[in-house]
Amino acid sequence: MTNYYNSEDLKKFGKIGEFGAKDMAADFFKYYGGVFADGALSGREKALIALAVSHVLKCPYCIDAYTSTTLEKGCSEDEMMEAVHVGAVMAAGVTLVHSTQMINKAKELMM
Amino acid sequence: MLTAHHTQTMNPVKSLKALKHALGDSGYQIQVLNDHDKLGRHLPLFREKIAPFGLFPLKPTQIDIFQVNVGKMCNQVCSHCHVDAGPDRKEIMTQETMQECLDVLRKHKFKTIDLTGGAPEMNNNFRWFIEGIRAIDSEIKIIVRCNLTIILANKNYHDLPEFFKQHRIEVVSSLPFYTASRTDSQRGNGVFEDSIKALQMLNAMGYGQEGSGLTLNLVYNPAGAFLPSGQDGLEKEFKKALKTKYGIHFNSLFCITNIPISRFLDYLLVSGNYGEYMEKLVNAFNPTAASNVMCRNTLSIGWDGFLFDCDFNQMLDLKVLGRSQHLREFDMSELTNRKISINQHCYGCTAGAGSSCGGEVA
Ligand code: SF4
Ligand code: SF4
């Protein structure tokens, strides 16, 4: 293995069931397909959410895939960037809101 | 400040032909389409892909649409243009060839006459031709593929919306996106702003307004190496954005896939997207779209009167097969029974929901 991440590997994702646990892979992809279909949220809105999640989870495969999907769905640069900002600000907020624990603990320990 | 993004997407000012670029040559384009080294992968032949569905040889169903390319001259030089059109192109249909079109129209019945270019309005005999068609058939649907900016390009064109209305022309116009940046990156600086003004002029004439009977359709095509998806969803987004921001109304949005020929092929090669893009098209092959490709109901007429299966084949110089290759030898039964010339660019018409001059087909 020369590289941990290889963009060509994204194309192999759909075939993970061939290696093992075929039924589990099939269940997952069925669920995946169902979740991203138009529903109460449009496929376009879901793709923007997925783009934000891809960044928060820092998955290069997903960033590649959902950049293409959001472009295909006609999302503008501002929409794509705002989605990433939602992810970023959530990640920052999640970090910062934990400071309340630090503050509680500090208050417990400090005179 | 010019960012890398802006330099990359700067629009060409000359056609490939004027630049004497290798891709200005149609034979070389076909070679590139079949070059596994350039593709970096082995892709199935289009012919092999359609054969299992009983579509090879591909044949017309019925010729309903008579599409005339009245010339390659254009006021724009869009970076994706499959015609390689521009102000430097001199191939323009003469009045004599237009007369030959009219002779065919007098003899044969079509459902739609579709006028394209270049900017068709730049042909000096454009209005004469439309009046001629209307004189033969007052009801037939006539489409003009108007690039919008031409209306503002010169005061001689300012009254085009009125002329279109007078002859009940259906206007089909490209607007690659509802934001300026993505439209201008494909069509040139300032194109979005002028397109918006032109759309407002067409709206003022009644085009795209409910109950007017004057149809204004827009064409979306991706500004880059990705495929279109979801015509209905995009139409909603376009309608919302154009109405709230600019008060613009239109009828339908047609999603068109960029066909990998001419300037778009050049873009794919230069940007390093060629192999990936072709693979995307092949993987998205849809047999339903394949059975509805537009060459099955359309005949494309070139500026010099030669006949083609579609505007793409026209630009690749792939004339219709058979004996009836020119307006002067027009033979409807021969043409209806001909075999359509196909090659690897045809994958552009069969990906996903398919693509035609009228948008999705599946
Ligand atoms: S895409 Fe249309 S408007 Fe643009 S250069 Fe080609 S013919 Fe002209
Ligand atoms: S490119 Fe032309 S010939 Fe090929 S499938 Fe499309 S319309 Fe038909």
Side-chain angles (χ1 to χ4, degrees), chain B residues 340-361:
Chain B
I340 295 167
S341 287
I342 53 170
N343 211 299
Q344 297 302 82
H345 64 294
C346 295
Y347 276 117
C349 293
T350 58
S355 177
S356 74
C357 286
E360 293 182 351
V361 296

Side-chain angles (χ1 to χ4, degrees), chain B residues 124-192:
Chain B
N124 285 335
N125 298 306
F126 170 76
R127 296 186 195 215
W128 175 86
F129 190 36
I130 287 186
E131 284 157 3
I133 299 169
R134 270 284 168 258
I136 294 171
D137 190 332
S138 61
E139 290 311 313
I140 193 164
K141 174 150 123 183
I142 306 178
I143 294 176
V144 170
R145 296 188 182 265
C146 169
N147 72 13
L148 297 174
T149 59
I150 190 70
I151 298 176
L152 293 146
N154 175 316
K155 67 172 178 349
N156 295 334
Y157 298 125
H158 290 353
D159 66 338
L160 276 170
E162 207 178 322
F163 176 79
F164 290 153
K165 179 183 178 171
Q166 189 191 344
H167 295 281
R168 284 160 291 118
I169 304 293
E170 179 175 317
V171 177
V172 176
S173 292
S174 273
L175 190 71
F177 209 55
Y178 52 78
T179 63
S181 65
R182 217 180 282 174
T183 296
D184 290 0
S185 78
Q186 183 180 105
R187 296 177 78 77
N189 280 339
V191 166
F192 183 76

Side-chain angles (χ1 to χ4, degrees), chain B residues 70-71 73 115-124 126 144-147:
Chain B
V70 297
M73 190 185 277
L115 303 183
T116 187
E121 302 89 341
M122 289 177 89
N123 184 311
N124 285 335
F126 170 76
V144 170
R145 296 188 182 265
C146 169
N147 72 13

